[in-house]
Amino acid sequence: MGISKRMLIGTAITGAIYFLVGEFLYRTLLNKIPTPLLVGLYFLGLMVFVLIGINIIGTTMPRSSKGYKDIVLRCLALCVAMLAAGALLELVYEVCFRERVNTPSSYVFALDNSGSMTSNDPENQRYDAIQATLENKKPDFQFAVYTFANSPDLIRPMGPVSDGTEFDLEEPNGGTGIKTIMETMYEDIDSGALNLGKNGKILLFTDGYATDMKPIIGKASLNRVLEKFSKKGISISTVGLGDPDDELMDMIAKKTNGVYVRVEEADLLEEAMKEAIDSNSDRNLLDYRSKVSFDFLFTLIRFVAVLLLGLLLGLLKMYVCEPFLDTRPLWLTSVICSLIAAACVEFGMNKFGLLPQLMRFFMCVLLAMGTLKTKADYNNDYNDIYKHY
């Protein structure tokens, strides 16, 4: 009696296939339906795919029993439980210690002025977009402007709108130092050289990929800087023009309770900047989370949520696989795989800044995997053991 490789590999492949479907579902419905419902549907979809996958694999295996008489009813009940549990756990994750959204007291604009802006924004519409964003602000509203290329430059120190909203943009030149500008702004804020007041907000605008970041290491280093912003309650929203690094812009925004807005043409920048600067993001179980007070509680909630959902999947696998495999190893492996899956989305994504899609992929595969053993024999006297249950 050994591990059923057929079921182990088959369920892992099922999880990988569902990841593609689940990712489409998540991206399509995010911000279009309530997030608790979206997360519930996401995990319900995973359960349905696992159910289908196990039944397909099971047709290739000899049965030792007829299985549970009410197996269809049990599976339906588990599907309803998965939908409800996913939605409820997401609701708890969202509303627990929800921070109050305050009206910004100041803005800091960080504008990409790399060489590519010569062709992507030749008429300096990013300048006009800032003017439009500030036009209805009170005279004492504070704002500052940085530009960045190979190095950052504070071109308009923090001051009230009444001092004038004009500033000079130099000719675009050089690379795109996103990590450098983030570090510089935080150092200025931390030292007191840049005073945002109680509820300052930053808007980062770029049209390309960071040229000052090494793969993986650079993102992990930037993630630590973003956590510092988040601890101070400073929200950073991002606007991408043309062909920006969507993953990086999304990470910067979500890790600091901001939003990411992408536009294809420079003449849409005014609307995009207004949308980004006036919006705040919401956390959910499947994506980045900004650093907040009692952050360890959100880590705990995410681990408990993934563990409970993984155990529901384990129960489904036990019911369906009982006629042809030994299901005793399922509970231990379900707990282990669920905890590893939770570590992927919590630490891999949220702490180290790894791709959310990659972490969700590992989560789906780990939760779907079924480690079961082949039965020693298929005694006919054992066939009807479940028919009365």
Side-chain angles (χ1 to χ4, degrees):
M1 182 170 65
I3 297 295
S4 173
K5 295 179 181 178
R6 191 183 308 175
M7 186 61 69
L8 180 65
I9 296 172
T11 49
I13 292 174
T14 298
I17 293 173
Y18 174 71
F19 161 75
L20 299 175
V21 177
E23 199 65 15
F24 174 79
L25 176 75
Y26 179 71
R27 289 176 174 272
T28 302
L29 298 181
L30 185 63
N31 299 322
K32 294 180 180 177
I33 64 174
T35 313
L37 177 59
L38 172 59
V39 173
L41 289 172
Y42 184 92
F43 285 103
L44 172 62
L46 178 59
M47 177 170 275
V48 171
F49 265 68
V50 170
L51 178 61
I52 294 172
I54 289 176
N55 276 291
I56 292 174
I57 299 166
T59 59
T60 68
M61 296 180 175
R63 288 176 172 261
S64 63
S65 72
K66 294 181 180 179
Y68 294 93
K69 189 175 181 180
D70 58 348
I71 185 63
V72 174
L73 182 61
R74 292 183 185 222
C75 289
L76 286 174
L78 281 173
C79 286
V80 173
M82 178 65 87
L83 175 62
L88 180 60
L89 290 166
E90 169 61 25
L91 183 62
V92 171
Y93 188 75
E94 281 185 28
V95 303
C96 185
F97 296 103
R98 183 187 289 274
E99 302 82 13
R100 188 174 65 180
V101 177
N102 296 308
T103 303
S105 59
S106 64
Y107 291 157
V108 177
F109 299 94
L111 302 180
D112 187 344
N113 205 40
S114 60
S116 58
M117 296 307 301
T118 303
S119 56
N120 286 332
D121 185 22
E123 298 179 3
N124 288 334
Q125 294 193 57
R126 58 196 186 282
Y127 173 91
D128 296 331
I130 290 179
Q131 302 302 313
T133 303
L134 296 169
E135 64 183 357
N136 294 322
K137 295 299 179 184
K138 294 180 179 180
D140 60 348
F141 187 84
Q142 305 279 315
F143 82 101
V145 181
Y146 285 84
T147 58
F148 63 94
N150 290 331
S151 60
D153 186 20
L154 178 61
I155 62 172
R156 203 280 186 181
M158 184 66 76
V161 170
S162 58
D163 287 350
T165 61
E166 297 77 16
F167 54 88
D168 294 325
L169 280 173
E170 296 181 356
E171 286 296 317
N173 185 47
T176 309
I178 293 176
K179 179 171 173 285
T180 304
I181 182 61
M182 299 303 300
E183 292 172 337
T184 299
M185 286 192 295
Y186 182 79
E187 289 170 2
D188 288 349
I189 293 169
D190 195 47
S191 67
L194 182 65
N195 184 6
L196 275 66
K198 287 186 177 181
N199 304 308
K201 189 165 186 176
I202 295 173
L203 186 139
L204 176 73
F205 164 77
T206 186
D207 71 335
Y209 284 65
T211 57
D212 60 343
M213 289 175 58
K214 295 180 180 179
I216 300 178
I217 298 176
K219 190 172 281 189
S221 177
L222 175 61
N223 186 68
R224 290 192 290 272
V225 178
L226 296 177
E227 288 191 351
K228 294 178 181 179
F229 277 106
S230 191
K231 283 181 180 179
K232 286 183 176 292
I234 300 171
S235 174
I236 304 172
S237 287
T238 53
V239 174
L241 171 66
D243 185 29
D245 186 344
D246 292 322
E247 298 297 340
L248 183 61
M249 293 297 99
D250 193 52
M251 171 186 164
I252 291 172
K254 288 182 177 176
K255 286 290 293 179
T256 58
N257 198 35
V259 298
Y260 171 45
V261 179
R262 180 177 176 176
V263 292
E264 298 296 331
E265 303 292 340
D267 57 7
L268 300 175
L269 279 177
E270 180 179 326
E271 182 179 346
M273 282 194 180
K274 286 182 177 180
E275 177 184 350
I277 205 75
D278 292 332
S279 303
N280 290 279
S281 67
D282 292 318
R283 56 176 171 261
N284 70 68
L285 287 168
L286 300 174
D287 221 320
Y288 292 118
R289 181 185 71 249
S290 59
K291 192 84 170 179
V292 294
S293 302
F294 307 106
D295 197 64
F296 70 95
L297 287 178
F298 293 101
T299 298
L300 180 62
I301 292 171
R302 179 129 62 180
F303 266 82
V304 170
V306 176
L307 176 60
L308 290 176
L309 296 169
L311 290 177
L312 283 175
L313 276 167
L315 189 59
L316 175 83
K317 286 178 270 192
M318 185 192 76
Y319 286 155
V320 179
C321 293
E322 192 70 51
F324 40 85
L325 291 171
D326 181 353
T327 61
R328 285 176 295 178
L330 261 179
W331 293 114
L332 178 60
T333 55
S334 290
V335 170
I336 293 173
C337 287
S338 297
L339 291 176
I340 296 173
C344 285
V345 292
E346 175 61 27
F347 298 126
M349 175 175 64
N350 209 55
K351 300 297 182 183
F352 300 109
L354 300 178
L355 286 177
Q357 294 93 324
L358 181 62
M359 295 301 100
R360 289 194 288 268
F361 169 79
F362 285 128
M363 181 187 71
C364 289
V365 171
L366 286 163
L367 293 180
M369 282 173 53
T371 305
L372 304 104
K373 290 184 178 180
T374 55
K375 290 184 175 177
D377 57 67
Y378 297 96
N379 192 321
N380 289 333
D381 294 336
Y382 191 60
N383 280 345
D384 297 327
I385 190 170
Y386 296 103
K387 67 181 181 181
H388 299 301
Y389 293 91

